[in-house]
Amino acid sequence: MERNENLQQDVGALNVRLGVNGGHDGMTIKPKKFKKKKQNEIDISKLADDVRSGQRTSLSKAITLIESSNTDHKEQAQKLLQELLPYTGNSIRIGITGVPGAGKSSFIETFGTMLCNMGKRVAVLAIDPSSTISGGSILGDKTRMEELSRNKSAFVRPSASAGTLGGVHKKSRETMLLCEAAGYDVILIETVGVGQSETYVRGMVDFFLLLVLTGAGDELQGMKKGIMELADGIVVHKSDGDNVQKARRTVREYMQILHFLQPATPGWMSRAIPASSHEKTGLMEVWEIICQFEQTIKSSNVWESRRLEQTKEWFHTMIRDTLIDSFFQNSNRKIEVKSIEEAILRGEITVTQGVSKLFS
């Protein structure tokens, strides 16, 4: 009897009693709605004011905006440039190039620091080569120019060349204008190095400086004349220690060569001098030559006419770049290019026939 009662109790305990009908267990769970975040609106007028007041963080932000490939950013960047354009053009623009190992970064840091100590505000646009494989760049110039980067009167901006010829970023011109609007009166543009289309750099600066070494070897003879015809000044760098006498001899050799070349700038005779960033010698002489150059060229009206010519060339370069971009933006055009490319590789048509077919 007791056993039956216990069994009934156990069964009763297992009975599931009906509860109140409901659609949930008391916890309300609503499906999340993901909203696309709107890009932060950039106050162009405020950014322009901040750039003009010399805020380095704002200048960096403005340059990032200029270099962006985003369509909205491009439009905003041009509005920013339009506001700042009246405050540009008051600096001296110096392009610095040289053979690999010539010590361009060391020279720029020592030279730039000297100018800052003289009361100048110096902006450095340092260009690093982009990898043709990954498209990446080391951007190590800020590390190599550590002292100058910390100077409150200096601004160092490393950028990747992104495949642009001439060892400069294709936005370097606009970046240069931003630096001028920010009050920097000396703009130093360090290029990747000789061997590329250095005429691109020549076409955006006032003074073009070439750094060379002693005993560079005969392998450079082929490029010497071309690059030297663009140079307003030549610095035989690393003129220190046991290399001093060699540097002086090299300077004499370059002066003889320059005597027979057509001047890079009308009315100016290019010069060569020895210098050492390690011992900080010859740097003041380099600056004095640049100042003499500015005074001489401004008095002959070549300065202004050159800048106007550079602006015109920039305009035509932008036309070519825009035509190329617009050509490949069409998705159907990309398919057509791919098809013709495959036909060329199969040997069905020549390259010239492929191009003619593409444009017909």
Side-chain angles (χ1 to χ4, degrees):
M1 186 69 180
E2 289 181 5
R3 185 179 177 185
N4 290 337
E5 290 177 355
N6 290 337
L7 184 60
Q8 288 176 358
Q9 289 176 356
D10 292 340
V11 173
L14 293 173
N15 287 341
V16 178
R17 300 192 180 188
L18 297 175
V20 179
N21 291 330
H24 56 78
D25 59 357
M27 296 180 65
T28 302
I29 301 176
K30 293 183 179 179
K32 291 183 178 179
K33 293 182 179 179
F34 293 97
K35 294 182 178 179
K36 187 177 180 181
K37 290 184 177 180
K38 292 183 178 179
Q39 291 186 350
N40 294 330
E41 291 290 332
I42 299 174
D43 189 336
I44 297 299
S45 295
K46 184 179 185 308
L47 181 58
D49 290 340
D50 291 343
V51 167
R52 285 192 59 211
S53 66
Q55 296 183 24
R56 291 196 288 187
T57 53
S58 297
L59 178 56
S60 295
K61 183 178 179 180
I63 295 173
T64 301
L65 182 67
I66 288 288
E67 293 181 348
S68 175
S69 57
N70 181 285
T71 305
D72 292 336
H73 288 171
K74 285 181 178 180
E75 186 177 341
Q76 292 171 329
Q78 294 312 306
K79 288 180 180 177
L80 177 64
L81 272 176
Q82 189 66 41
E83 286 203 28
L84 293 176
L85 207 56
Y87 309 101
T88 63
N90 298 317
S91 74
I92 179 165
R93 306 162 182 175
I94 304 169
I96 300 176
T97 189
V99 298
K104 294 187 294 293
S105 296
S106 300
F107 175 82
I108 289 173
E109 173 165 56
T110 312
F111 185 63
T113 301
M114 181 195 75
L115 294 177
C116 289
N117 294 337
M118 292 169 57
K120 302 291 183 182
R121 298 192 69 211
V122 180
V124 179
L125 307 184
I127 313 299
D128 271 7
S130 296
S131 168
T132 55
I133 299 173
S134 65
S137 184
I138 296 174
L139 299 178
D141 290 283
K142 250 188 171 175
T143 304
R144 296 197 297 268
M145 302 179 191
E146 189 175 354
E147 182 183 352
L148 186 60
S149 298
R150 292 198 305 263
N151 197 306
K152 293 182 179 179
S153 297
F155 176 79
V156 179
R157 174 72 180 201
S159 298
S161 61
T164 307
L165 289 177
V168 293
H169 191 282
K170 65 180 180 179
K171 296 294 184 179
S172 291
R173 292 177 187 267
E174 294 172 343
T175 301
M176 183 173 62
L177 294 178
L178 291 178
C179 292
E180 289 180 341
Y184 292 94
D185 41 23
V186 180
I187 313 291
L188 303 177
I189 302 177
E190 178 196 8
T191 73
V192 171
V194 296
Q196 299 188 52
S197 179
E198 296 297 308
T199 53
Y200 193 95
V201 187
R202 168 77 274 184
M204 60 186 291
V205 298
D206 304 311
F207 189 92
F208 193 53
L209 188 66
L210 172 64
L211 265 61
V212 298
L213 297 171
T214 59
D218 293 337
E219 66 273 10
L220 295 175
Q221 293 298 327
M223 52 74 64
K224 272 184 182 176
K225 186 174 185 294
I227 190 68
M228 285 178 61
E229 285 179 332
L230 301 176
D232 297 303
I234 297 175
V235 170
V236 180
H237 200 213
K238 300 185 180 180
S239 174
D240 44 53
D242 297 334
N243 208 33
V244 173
Q245 293 301 323
K246 291 180 182 178
R248 289 175 180 172
R249 185 167 60 251
T250 304
V251 166
R252 288 195 296 270
E253 292 173 355
Y254 274 106
M255 286 299 294
Q256 290 175 351
I257 296 171
L258 288 170
H259 182 72
F260 294 103
L261 295 179
Q262 181 178 344
T265 302
W268 173 257
M269 181 63 191
S270 301
R271 307 178 196 178
I273 62 168
S276 168
S277 296
H278 178 66
E279 295 185 354
K280 297 180 174 59
T281 57
L283 302 176
M284 183 57 72
E285 287 79 0
V286 173
W287 178 243
E288 288 173 355
I289 287 175
I290 293 173
C291 292
Q292 290 172 15
F293 170 87
E294 182 179 10
Q295 184 178 4
T296 302
I297 302 309
K298 280 186 175 179
S299 63
S300 63
N301 202 36
V302 174
W303 181 282
E304 186 63 28
S305 62
R306 167 177 275 174
R307 285 201 172 183
L308 291 174
E309 189 63 31
Q310 288 175 348
T311 302
K312 187 172 76 171
E313 178 57 33
W314 181 17
F315 172 62
H316 286 283
T317 301
M318 288 288 290
I319 291 175
R320 291 190 290 269
D321 290 343
T322 303
L323 285 172
I324 293 171
D325 290 342
S326 61
F327 180 84
F328 286 104
Q329 278 177 355
N330 189 317
S331 57
N332 292 329
R333 184 66 52 78
K334 290 179 181 179
I335 296 171
E336 190 179 2
V337 168
K338 183 67 176 175
S339 175
I340 294 175
E341 181 184 277
E342 291 172 351
I344 292 171
L345 296 178
R346 288 194 299 267
E348 297 173 1
I349 57 175
T350 67
V351 172
T352 303
Q353 288 173 331
V355 174
S356 298
K357 184 177 181 182
L358 187 63
F359 283 93
S360 63

